[in-house]
Amino acid sequence: MSLFDILPIEGVMPTVRVSHKKALLEAIAEQAGRMTLIAPRVIFDTLLQRERLGSTGIGGGIAIPHGKFDGLDRLVGLFARVEKPIAFDSLDGEPVDLVFVLMAPESAGADHLKGLAKVARALRNPATTAKLRATRDADAIHALLTQSVETSKAA
């Protein structure tokens, strides 16, 4: 499994204009709903419920919201670059501008955790995050994310 398998090009939101966390999750849920045919409200509620357990803002301006969903048969990712960083209750207290949502099938066990690890690995590279912040082109963002893990694996 690679990020290429998880993140379709339509899962890249290169410029999201929101002013707070709930609006971001709503925008993501709308796009994810179009991609998965799961009701956007179900996606929003699941992601919000996960955030209530503890913020998925991991620091460095990055968040990885995630959840399990009935109706999925594989991991599905969605990446959003927020135009102006927003408060996200992150571990380091810093606002967030790079968000990778991971949606997993309800039955996913280890695959969900492996997917989260792949996303975290891709986003922990400062050169990659700098490039993600600098581009507004969905194809370029998709290439950066799907190639970053494969490149680091080869090293």
Side-chain angles (χ1 to χ4, degrees):
M1 166 190 17
S2 72
L3 286 187
F4 188 82
D5 300 321
I6 296 170
L7 179 66
I9 188 67
E10 64 269 18
V12 176
M13 301 171 70
T15 307
V16 180
R17 292 177 182 94
V18 293
S19 58
H20 55 87
K21 186 179 190 176
K22 278 190 176 179
L24 174 62
L25 295 177
E26 287 172 346
I28 286 169
E30 284 296 322
Q31 182 64 22
R34 286 189 286 275
M35 293 168 45
T36 63
L37 304 180
I38 295 172
R41 186 68 196 186
V42 170
I43 296 169
F44 173 78
D45 289 344
T46 301
L47 295 177
L48 188 61
Q49 187 175 26
R50 172 58 188 86
E51 288 301 317
R52 288 183 178 142
L53 294 175
S55 178
T56 58
I58 62 171
I62 299 164
I64 310 175
H66 54 278
K68 293 185 177 182
F69 298 86
D70 279 331
L72 284 182
D73 59 358
R74 64 181 182 83
L75 294 175
V76 176
L78 186 140
F79 176 82
R81 192 186 63 75
V82 182
E83 187 174 61
K84 292 182 182 171
I86 58 170
F88 209 88
D89 302 318
S90 297
L91 296 175
D92 63 359
E94 294 297 316
V96 162
D97 64 340
L98 302 177
V99 180
F100 195 112
V101 174
L102 187 64
M103 299 174 60
E106 193 65 51
S107 62
D111 283 347
H112 184 204
L113 297 176
K114 288 177 187 176
L116 285 171
K118 285 198 178 289
V119 171
R121 195 174 309 127
L123 295 176
R124 76 174 175 208
N125 181 330
T128 300
T129 56
K131 289 175 185 174
L132 289 170
R133 289 183 170 108
T135 188
R136 281 144 184 75
D137 179 74
D139 290 326
I141 289 171
H142 186 263
L144 279 166
L145 287 169
T146 58
Q147 294 169 6
S148 65
V149 171
E150 302 311 315
T151 302
S152 67
K153 218 190 292 181

